[in-house]
Amino acid sequence: MEQKELSHYLKKLREAVRRRGLKHSQQREAILKVLYNAACHLSPEQIHQEVKKECGSVGIATVYRTLAFFEQEKLVCTIFFGNEGKKYELNRGGHHDHLICIECGKIVEFFDDELEKLQERIAKDAGFELLSHQMNLYGRCRECSAVSCQRS
Amino acid sequence: MEQKELSHYLKKLREAVRRRGLKHSQQREAILKVLYNAACHLSPEQIHQEVKKECGSVGIATVYRTLAFFEQEKLVCTIFFGNEGKKYELNRGGHHDHLICIECGKIVEFFDDELEKLQERIAKDAGFELLSHQMNLYGRCRECSAVSCQRS
DNA sequence: TTATGTGCAAACTCTTTGCATTACC
DNA sequence: GGTAATGCAAAGAGTTTGCACATAA
């Protein structure tokens, strides 16, 4: 999948703001930048920390309000990671699912076409019109498996 | 899958209690009964309501402590339903996943062998030792799809 | 009798809301 | 200038913890 530039997402944000008759704000752009630069999925608290580095004083309330707005506008994807709660990532257009290491917390993204088709079939068989899904696979990554072998 | 009786699960509970050198308690059995009789996945608050009907005064703290214990002992399965938070169901032994209607909240359980195998393959390809997974499919059920057709 | 289990209330975490002030158009 | 956006603090929801008392072994 081709990497899009930050300006692409800033443009989408400005369009969404205009469409809804809202006003531009520095904070929304700053939060979008943080999400763009993030290597992984961030919690609201983590986003708050990052945005403060860039934008001085930013309230956590603004982070929550902005994330809710981004979610509605599909600028971000929300993922629930078990006990770790909601996390956010920039919606770069490519749907994917997650493998999560229960030892070190590493998250690996993957996409599997066969899986997507299978889900469609399952939903159809149950009479459901499928809109979205979330699949998390929990396990031990290669490194952590190796470590636990050494221990035992 | 054959339906097991309540006594089967009570026995498992008593074994777990003995194994850990703990003491029997009425509240734990009452909570187990509630889970056994539940038609669907219950939130801690719902479990609390049900247990109070049967057992007079039961603290919400006891419900949380007991659910944590049941979870460790694999007597219950925990499911995260998006914004609705953690829910619990008795572990009846048969793993399954969930289809969730975003209109009416209906939850349909399903099991698909092909899906299980596919997950194993995906995890293996990524070097993960798969321990568990959760897959939720979100969509509109047959009834709700029909209603929204009428509206439009 | 002694350790575990419980209920209650307080504490804590995460998230949302009200309101005065600031920033955008 | 008018309206939306923000920061702060307070309020809520959900969950956990401390402690005195109750209860099982």
Side-chain angles (χ1 to χ4, degrees):
Chain A
M1 184 182 24
E2 96 261 45
Q3 276 288 355
K4 287 190 175 134
E5 288 180 22
L6 175 57
S7 59
H8 169 82
Y9 298 103
L10 286 172
K11 199 176 148 200
K12 280 180 81 172
L13 170 56
R14 281 185 216 117
E15 279 168 9
V17 166
R18 201 175 326 118
R19 194 181 330 116
R20 306 233 314 215
L22 302 178
K23 288 175 185 170
H24 172 269
S25 95
Q26 301 214 317
Q27 286 86 339
R28 281 202 278 247
E29 296 217 338
I31 291 169
L32 187 74
K33 274 180 211 168
V34 166
L35 289 165
Y36 180 82
N37 292 320
C40 61
H41 316 77
L42 299 178
S43 67
E45 188 52 44
Q46 288 172 315
I47 294 167
H48 186 214
Q49 292 306 321
E50 289 301 312
V51 175
K52 276 200 288 191
K53 284 181 199 164
E54 208 174 295
C55 202
S57 103
V58 177
I60 185 75
T62 298
V63 173
Y64 278 104
R65 283 187 279 236
T66 301
L67 289 173
F69 173 69
F70 284 4
E71 210 176 346
Q72 283 175 22
E73 294 295 330
K74 299 208 195 307
L75 288 163
V76 293
C77 302
T78 312
I79 308 123
F80 294 88
F81 289 117
N83 287 307
E84 299 185 29
K86 248 183 176 180
K87 297 199 175 183
Y88 295 85
E89 64 179 328
L90 189 62
N91 181 0
R92 293 181 151 91
H95 164 77
H96 56 261
D97 291 296
H98 299 90
L99 268 155
I100 300 137
C101 177
I102 57 162
E103 296 274 349
C104 67
K106 190 194 316 179
I107 295 167
V108 175
E109 302 180 345
F110 70 88
F111 174 84
D112 189 284
D113 202 50
E114 203 180 321
L115 178 65
E116 303 293 315
K117 282 180 191 145
L118 189 51
Q119 288 170 343
E120 276 293 345
R121 201 208 71 209
I122 291 167
K124 201 175 151 197
D125 288 353
F128 269 63
E129 172 196 352
L130 188 61
L131 295 171
S132 69
H133 73 263
Q134 191 186 347
M135 175 152 119
N136 293 343
L137 302 179
Y138 298 92
R140 251 191 289 269
C141 70
R142 207 187 306 271
E143 290 71 28
C144 291
S145 289
V147 171
S148 65
C149 279
Q150 284 164 18
R151 271 206 299 261
S152 54
Chain B
M1 184 183 25
E2 97 262 45
Q3 277 288 352
K4 286 189 178 139
E5 289 182 19
L6 176 56
S7 59
H8 169 82
Y9 298 103
L10 287 173
K11 198 175 146 199
K12 281 180 81 172
L13 170 56
R14 282 186 217 114
E15 281 168 8
V17 166
R18 202 175 325 121
R19 194 182 329 116
R20 307 236 310 218
L22 302 178
K23 290 174 187 173
H24 172 268
S25 96
Q26 301 214 317
Q27 286 85 341
R28 281 201 277 245
E29 296 217 339
I31 291 170
L32 187 74
K33 275 181 209 169
V34 166
L35 290 165
Y36 180 82
N37 292 321
C40 60
H41 316 76
L42 300 178
S43 67
E45 189 52 44
Q46 289 172 314
I47 293 168
H48 186 214
Q49 292 306 320
E50 288 301 312
V51 176
K52 276 200 288 190
K53 284 182 200 164
E54 209 174 292
C55 202
S57 102
V58 177
I60 185 77
T62 298
V63 173
Y64 279 103
R65 283 188 279 235
T66 301
L67 288 172
F69 173 68
F70 284 4
E71 209 175 348
Q72 282 175 23
E73 293 297 329
K74 299 210 195 309
L75 288 163
V76 294
C77 301
T78 312
I79 308 123
F80 293 89
F81 289 118
N83 287 307
E84 298 187 28
K86 248 184 175 179
K87 298 201 176 181
Y88 295 85
E89 66 178 327
L90 189 61
N91 180 0
R92 292 181 152 92
H95 164 78
H96 56 259
D97 290 295
H98 300 91
L99 269 155
I100 299 137
C101 177
I102 57 162
E103 295 275 347
C104 66
K106 189 193 319 180
I107 295 168
V108 176
E109 301 179 347
F110 70 88
F111 175 83
D112 190 283
D113 203 50
E114 202 180 322
L115 178 64
E116 303 293 315
K117 283 180 192 144
L118 188 52
Q119 289 170 343
E120 276 295 342
R121 200 208 72 210
I122 291 167
K124 202 176 150 195
D125 287 352
F128 269 62
E129 171 196 352
L130 188 61
L131 295 170
S132 69
H133 72 264
Q134 190 185 347
M135 175 152 117
N136 292 343
L137 302 179
Y138 297 91
R140 250 192 289 271
C141 70
R142 206 188 307 273
E143 291 71 29
C144 291
S145 289
V147 170
S148 66
C149 279
Q150 283 165 20
R151 270 207 300 262
S152 53

